[in-house]
Amino acid sequence: MERQSYLVQMNGNGVHGKPAVNAKAKSRRQRWEVKPSDMANNTLNPIRAIVDGMKLTPNPDKPMIALSIGDPTVFGNLPTDETVRQALKDAIDSEKYNGYAPSVGYLKSRQAVANFYSCPEAPLEAEDVILTSGCSQAIDLAISVLCNPGDNILVPCPGFSLYKTLAVSLGIEVKLYNLLPEKSWEADLQHMESLIDERTSCLIVTNPSNPCGSVFSKEHLQKILNVASRHCVPILADEIYTDLVFPGCTSPSMASLSSSVPILSCGGLAKRWLVPGWRMGWILIHDRNNIFGSEIRQGLVKLSQRILGACSVVQGALEGILNAPQSFYNNTISFLKSNSQICFNELSTVPGLTPIMPSGAMYLMVGIDMGHFPDFKNDVDFTEALVTEQSVFCLPASAFEFPNYFRIVVTVPEHLMVEACGRIREFCQRHYRPRSSSYRPI
């Protein structure tokens, strides 16, 4: 007996079925043809595209020192604070957080984040916070709620590769505005403004910067806000490193400086609290002059419902995590600055290299004068050979669309930082060539 297909309809009285008209005929295909979606085909991480193509064969006589991964936990020398661990243990033991949380997060947890980041210039309530699965999902939701296919976003160059990965997969054009190494990676404001058109739906500002480790001054942030205000472009502020700022430097949030520009600020636990694997992030909605209104807020709620929210156990621990002692943060920042200073001092005296001293985050960028290294075509060649000869892996800045630089992660133990710099020096001394007198820069 042939089975009938049914269409299921929901109404207030329950579920009713009725035979589907020609359902069997409509669903029949002549052959198997299963293909990946356009979104899957359009998804590409520039870092993976470059690194996966590199020939990375470390020198067997030298232990590998990986300065390439922005994960502060890799070497085990930067554990989170005991109060953070205890908060998670208490949340687990309470057995209150084993189920699904609301897609935007528990109200109490959202209020804890709002209390932590609220200030008189940019007040926050629980309703202004969306909890996410890490800062990367926060960025994903922020781009998705602000942009349609065919729109464009402005992204810093060099900048975090995930912005492009997410945007291009959604059919959104990426326009790169330059950061200026000779000005400690300040944004080229004239270039930024020249890229804006009627389809520009979002300006991304990363401060402090990955990959540069730079920190914008209050005055420079205000100039960026002026550009956004003149052209009525909202800002996505990637502020995951906002609290990792070296002594002597300040990093106000963009929202605290804005009087007219609406801002979605993305952050999370990964860097300041040294627990990237706990996957807890957030969006802070700063709606200046009610420009976002209810539509953007509702859009974020709807997008958050695509998955069932951030980890409920970490949410339950959030209030305790955020109250970790200031000494814990200070120790982390002190270590990062010390390692950055060691790296900068060591590489500043290496012919052919130009390190740029960071002011925050956990990265340092180093310029390569390729004219002095004729053995290599570009920064990818250079860093690949550095692995082969010295077992030191630095990320070529082509991964950030900024060739002839490489990025160093400064979270390794101090003795490994010194060792790595020594190996980089040895490598450069072997391959460095003075320019001939007939050389003329192009």
Side-chain angles (χ1 to χ4, degrees):
M1 179 177 178
E2 191 172 299
R3 295 179 181 175
Q4 277 190 308
S5 299
Y6 282 82
L7 294 177
V8 177
Q9 296 180 326
M10 298 290 293
N11 62 29
N13 299 318
V15 179
H16 299 276
K18 63 180 181 179
V21 178
N22 295 326
K24 184 176 179 181
K26 287 183 178 179
S27 66
R28 179 177 292 166
R29 293 178 177 174
Q30 300 303 312
R31 64 182 183 276
W32 285 100
E33 191 175 6
V34 182
K35 296 181 179 179
S37 67
D38 290 342
M39 181 178 180
N41 284 332
N42 292 334
T43 299
L44 176 68
N45 187 318
I47 292 179
R48 295 265 46 97
I50 288 175
V51 172
D52 290 350
M54 296 175 71
K55 300 179 182 68
L56 300 177
T57 307
N59 184 336
D61 297 325
K62 297 186 177 185
M64 184 70 165
I65 304 176
L67 306 178
S68 57
I69 304 172
D71 181 346
T73 71
V74 169
F75 289 88
N77 59 309
L78 289 173
T80 192
D81 191 73
E82 173 56 31
T83 60
V84 175
R85 293 192 293 271
Q86 190 59 51
L88 187 63
K89 293 173 186 175
D90 291 345
I92 293 171
D93 290 342
S94 74
E95 297 192 357
K96 294 179 180 179
Y97 307 105
N98 294 336
Y100 294 124
S103 65
V104 295
Y106 291 119
L107 181 62
K108 180 181 178 182
S109 306
R110 296 163 68 199
Q111 188 63 57
V113 174
N115 292 343
F116 190 84
Y117 284 107
S118 185
C119 64
E121 300 81 9
L124 290 165
E125 299 293 340
E127 65 181 11
D128 303 315
V129 178
I130 306 285
L131 298 183
T132 62
S133 181
C135 186
S136 57
Q137 195 206 7
I139 294 167
D140 185 13
L141 296 186
I143 291 175
S144 298
V145 80
L146 293 175
C147 308
N148 284 308
D151 286 348
N152 64 75
I153 62 174
L154 305 192
V155 171
C157 181
F160 186 35
S161 63
L162 184 67
Y163 310 137
K164 184 174 182 178
T165 299
L166 295 171
V168 172
S169 72
L170 295 170
I172 298 161
E173 181 187 1
V174 172
K175 294 185 176 183
L176 303 175
Y177 66 86
N178 293 330
L179 303 183
L180 303 172
E182 68 275 15
K183 293 187 176 181
S184 298
W185 303 109
E186 282 190 351
D188 184 336
L189 298 172
Q190 185 175 359
H191 183 229
M192 173 193 288
E193 192 158 12
S194 73
L195 298 174
I196 298 174
D197 61 23
E198 68 280 357
R199 294 303 300 268
T200 302
S201 54
C202 175
L203 165 60
I204 296 181
V205 179
T206 315
N207 186 52
S209 168
N210 175 11
C212 303
S214 55
V215 178
F216 291 155
S217 68
K218 175 181 177 181
E219 293 72 23
H220 191 61
L221 289 171
Q222 288 172 326
K223 291 177 181 178
I224 294 173
L225 285 164
N226 289 340
V227 171
S229 180
R230 278 196 297 273
H231 296 275
C232 301
V233 177
I235 286 179
L236 190 170
D238 183 350
E239 298 180 327
I240 186 66
Y241 297 98
T242 190
D243 302 303
L244 294 181
V245 177
F246 298 164
C249 189
T250 58
S251 177
S253 69
M254 293 213 77
S256 69
L257 303 176
S258 175
S259 59
S260 61
V261 179
I263 295 169
L264 297 181
S265 173
C266 298
L269 294 181
K271 310 302 183 178
R272 173 170 176 167
W273 288 271
L274 306 175
V275 286
W278 291 13
R279 310 311 302 139
M280 177 57 61
W282 47 73
I283 300 174
L284 309 180
I285 305 169
H286 297 278
D287 191 7
R288 294 294 183 265
N289 304 322
N290 198 34
I291 292 170
F292 286 150
S294 62
E295 292 182 334
I296 293 297
R297 289 176 183 270
Q298 283 302 309
L300 285 169
V301 172
K302 290 176 181 179
L303 287 170
S304 74
Q305 292 169 349
R306 295 180 67 188
I307 64 171
L308 292 175
C311 176
S312 57
V313 173
V314 180
Q315 288 188 53
L318 203 45
E319 188 171 11
I321 291 171
L322 296 174
N323 289 323
Q326 186 64 40
S327 58
F328 162 60
Y329 308 131
N330 293 344
N331 289 340
T332 302
I333 292 168
S334 177
F335 172 83
L336 294 173
K337 182 178 182 181
S338 176
N339 251 15
S340 297
Q341 194 70 61
I342 289 169
C343 186
F344 176 79
N345 291 345
E346 290 292 322
L347 298 186
S348 289
T349 59
V350 176
L353 298 185
T354 305
I356 300 174
M357 182 64 190
S359 299
M362 51 182 65
Y363 310 105
L364 182 147
M365 287 278 275
V366 182
I368 314 166
D369 189 339
M370 296 305 302
H372 284 300
F373 298 100
D375 294 343
F376 312 114
K377 293 181 295 184
N378 50 39
D379 56 312
V380 177
D381 261 8
F382 183 98
T383 51
E384 185 179 85
L386 181 59
V387 173
T388 301
E389 295 182 23
Q390 296 291 341
S391 296
V392 174
F393 185 23
C394 304
L395 201 61
S398 288
F400 306 107
E401 307 201 56
F402 206 81
N404 300 335
Y405 279 76
F406 60 87
R407 186 192 74 174
I408 289 176
V409 179
V410 297
T411 57
V412 299
E414 182 179 310
H415 73 281
L416 290 180
M417 188 85 266
V418 173
E419 171 71 17
C421 289
R423 294 190 201 176
I424 294 171
R425 176 186 297 277
E426 183 180 327
F427 175 82
C428 290
Q429 287 173 340
R430 178 179 178 184
H431 294 281
Y432 180 87
R433 303 288 184 271
R435 287 194 175 97
S436 65
S437 58
S438 62
Y439 174 83
R440 294 290 184 272
I442 297 174

